[in-house]
Amino acid sequence: MEANTETDHAEFLWVELNEAAAAQLDAGRFVVAAEKWQEAHGIAQQFEENDPRIASSLNNVAIAHRIKRNFAEAEQYYRHAIVSWQAASAWVDQMQLAPRARSSLFHLRMERRHKPEYRRIALRKYQAVLPAGCAATHNNLAELYHAVNREEDAEPLYAQALRDRSEAMGADEPTTAIIRENAKTLGAQTADGSRVHASYHTMDPGTFSAQATRKRWIIDQPAEFTDEGRLMAAILLTPVLDHGRLPSLS
């Protein structure tokens, strides 16, 4: 994935807009969040075919439609996002792997000698984390069904989202906990017949920029994304919606 000045600028703007949208969502300014996600989706059209950030943007536009109560459009965009996440596997197979600092010259020589095997090992790691993005979309589509009383449709999607997110990111990851709590509230009611909402209220998808330099997802001067950074931006900037935090649709 070759460097291009215009694309480089677009990549940073895409992150800025998505992080701002997530902050607006968490603050309850849903309409502003929707506008920023729609702007970011326009920028994502510049990215390479099957880039996982395209899947992320499709998911986030779906959230924008969900906020505006355009339910049919939201469902359509979520489903497009799922297809796009699946297609991103081909993009991961072609990732350019940035060199890593090694603890000794021995390790560096071994990596050069066994470069194809090191590449296969590294790509397996990235293929293993990719389903975390699709899990977010499965959760969000389930949340849409949950909100419009299509609970039979929501249940298997929550289950798949929980399984895939747990395997990719860990059972104790905060966003995994959101999915778990969402699923628990399906069909649940209080004594007076009102719905029970999730009690776990953290919606933060993870701040990509706070980790990017330290984890070398962005390198060099002027700054440039690595392919690992592109993948992690897609995953971390795809919100896992907390059903209890969004506006009531009833």
Side-chain angles (χ1 to χ4, degrees):
M1 295 106 182
E2 298 178 357
N4 177 286
T5 302
E6 184 176 347
T7 302
D8 287 349
H9 173 73
E11 290 185 308
F12 287 99
L13 181 57
W14 185 87
V15 167
E16 179 182 334
L17 285 167
N18 279 286
E19 289 188 326
Q24 294 294 328
L25 181 73
D26 199 41
R29 292 186 283 270
F30 301 111
V31 174
V32 178
E35 291 171 352
K36 291 185 179 297
W37 275 321
Q38 288 176 317
E39 187 177 351
H41 178 247
I43 291 170
Q45 306 313 303
Q46 301 179 43
F47 300 155
E48 290 188 348
E49 184 180 8
N50 298 330
D51 187 311
R53 292 170 297 180
I54 296 173
S56 177
S57 275
L58 287 166
N59 173 94
N60 296 349
V61 168
I63 298 175
H65 282 293
R66 184 254 190 264
I67 288 169
K68 295 176 181 179
R69 294 170 169 76
N70 299 328
F71 308 136
E73 290 88 347
E75 180 178 10
Q76 182 179 32
Y77 272 100
Y78 279 138
R79 292 204 173 277
H80 286 331
I82 290 167
V83 172
S84 189
W85 282 119
Q86 293 166 346
S89 178
W91 184 93
V92 171
D93 281 339
Q94 300 301 315
M95 284 175 63
Q96 294 183 11
L97 304 181
R100 297 282 184 171
R102 295 289 169 183
S103 58
S104 70
L105 183 60
F106 171 77
H107 285 127
L108 182 59
R109 287 173 175 168
M110 288 295 292
E111 182 170 352
R112 288 175 177 170
R113 182 179 300 175
H114 302 287
K115 187 174 182 178
E117 181 61 23
Y118 273 92
R119 177 175 174 81
R120 282 193 292 271
I121 292 170
L123 290 182
R124 281 202 298 270
K125 178 183 72 173
Y126 297 127
Q127 289 287 6
V129 77
L130 178 62
C134 198
T137 301
H138 279 130
N139 170 83
N140 297 344
L141 178 56
E143 192 281 328
L144 176 67
Y145 291 152
H146 192 172
V148 296
N149 298 318
R150 292 173 58 181
E151 296 192 348
E152 290 185 359
D153 294 323
E155 185 173 10
L157 287 169
Y158 277 144
Q160 183 173 357
L162 182 57
R163 180 179 64 251
D164 291 346
R165 192 79 179 195
S166 295
E167 290 179 358
M169 305 291 279
D172 296 328
E173 190 229 7
T175 51
T176 303
I178 293 173
I179 300 170
R180 186 179 299 113
E181 292 296 322
N182 283 346
K184 284 180 181 179
T185 66
L186 278 174
Q189 294 184 332
T190 63
D192 64 4
S194 61
R195 292 283 179 177
V196 174
H197 288 295
S199 59
Y200 190 95
H201 289 318
T202 299
M203 295 174 68
D204 183 8
T207 304
F208 171 80
S209 295
Q211 304 178 58
T213 302
R214 175 169 54 85
K215 294 194 174 183
R216 293 186 57 79
W217 295 339
I218 295 173
I219 58 174
D220 297 336
Q221 293 294 333
E224 180 181 335
F225 273 77
T226 64
D227 279 349
E228 182 182 11
R230 295 179 174 105
L231 174 61
M232 295 311 300
I235 291 170
L236 293 178
L237 294 172
T238 302
V240 174
L241 296 182
D242 179 344
H243 180 66
R245 286 293 298 277
L246 292 177
S248 172
L249 298 179
S250 58

